[in-house]
Amino acid sequence: MAEIRFSEENMTLLLDVKKEDIDLNKYQEISMGFELKSEFHITIIGFRGGEEIKKVLSLMSLSDQGIFIERIKTLACETNWKYSFINLAHKISKDYSETDKRESIIQIAEVDGLVQFYNDLNEMLNIHLEYPLEHVTLFTRGTDMEKSKMGIGINSEIEFFALNYVPLNI
């Protein structure tokens, strides 16, 4: 089973992806000028979702917050996080500011337990978080080298389609 990383501080959840699970050879030509990511993951709960969860938790007593954080961690640990990759990749770009323009190459994925996890999480917290676009960022570049390493946050399929994206032949 894949390893997960849960941050109580940010209320984010990442699914680690093993480098050997990705066929990086098919990206040699299209990744020229990009930097290979140092680690790979599929974001299950990103920063925006984490902020929404923190808002809900802030309305609770400290003891209830602790209980719900443990319930979220248990749900995450009990979820089947088996992932696979679809033969579909995109180059995406986003301008965060005049001095922070980023590009990434992403590989689309499927995560078995994602929909059920979100259904259970939304019911548990009585909120409506959108499912993220299942993907792994492979390569990045940008005008700010440090910020570009973070990639481009994609919190939903709707958000993905609002980005500048180009399907890639891999």
Side-chain angles (χ1 to χ4, degrees):
M1 178 160 313
E3 294 288 321
I4 56 171
R5 288 183 278 150
F6 179 74
S7 166
E8 284 189 36
E9 179 183 349
N10 297 315
M11 296 307 295
T12 55
L13 180 63
L14 304 178
L15 177 62
D16 287 329
V17 172
K18 296 176 186 163
K19 188 174 182 177
E20 57 267 18
D21 289 348
I22 304 167
D23 183 4
L24 292 170
N25 291 325
K26 57 186 175 181
Y27 291 94
Q28 282 184 331
E29 286 184 35
I30 58 177
S31 65
M32 297 287 278
F34 283 82
E35 187 173 332
L36 180 67
K37 291 269 293 181
S38 60
E39 59 83 31
F40 303 105
H41 65 266
I42 297 169
T43 301
I44 303 300
I45 302 173
F47 289 116
R48 185 176 298 154
E51 287 298 320
E52 292 300 314
I53 293 169
K54 288 189 323 188
K55 282 181 194 173
V56 171
L57 293 176
S58 72
L59 301 173
M60 300 176 184
S61 68
L62 286 177
S63 63
D64 282 348
Q65 287 178 26
I67 290 168
F68 275 90
I69 289 170
E70 287 306 312
R71 288 180 65 196
I72 294 168
K73 289 186 339 191
T74 299
L75 176 62
C77 289
E78 292 176 350
T79 298
N80 173 14
W81 293 120
K82 182 178 176 199
Y83 61 84
S84 59
F85 294 108
I86 300 170
N87 200 27
L88 190 58
H90 297 278
K91 182 171 82 170
I92 59 174
S93 62
K94 183 174 180 179
D95 294 350
Y96 285 86
S97 70
E98 284 295 317
T99 59
D100 185 10
K101 299 171 191 277
R102 302 181 200 175
E103 290 182 276
S104 297
I105 295 175
I106 64 170
Q107 171 79 48
I108 304 300
E110 288 182 334
V111 180
D112 288 353
L114 183 78
V115 171
Q116 188 61 52
F117 174 80
Y118 265 82
N119 289 344
D120 293 345
L121 181 65
N122 284 329
E123 184 178 325
M124 177 193 310
L125 297 173
N126 196 27
I127 56 177
H128 181 72
L129 296 174
E130 294 183 60
Y131 311 127
L133 177 74
E134 300 154 82
H135 73 282
V136 61
T137 300
L138 304 175
F139 302 91
T140 61
R141 71 177 173 194
T143 53
D144 183 318
M145 292 305 294
E146 283 308 306
K147 287 183 179 177
S148 69
K149 290 178 183 178
M150 296 179 350
I152 298 171
I154 306 172
N155 296 291
S156 68
E157 287 187 29
I158 293 168
E159 202 171 283
F160 169 75
F161 289 112
L163 293 171
N164 297 316
Y165 68 94
V166 177
L168 299 173
N169 291 321
I170 54 169

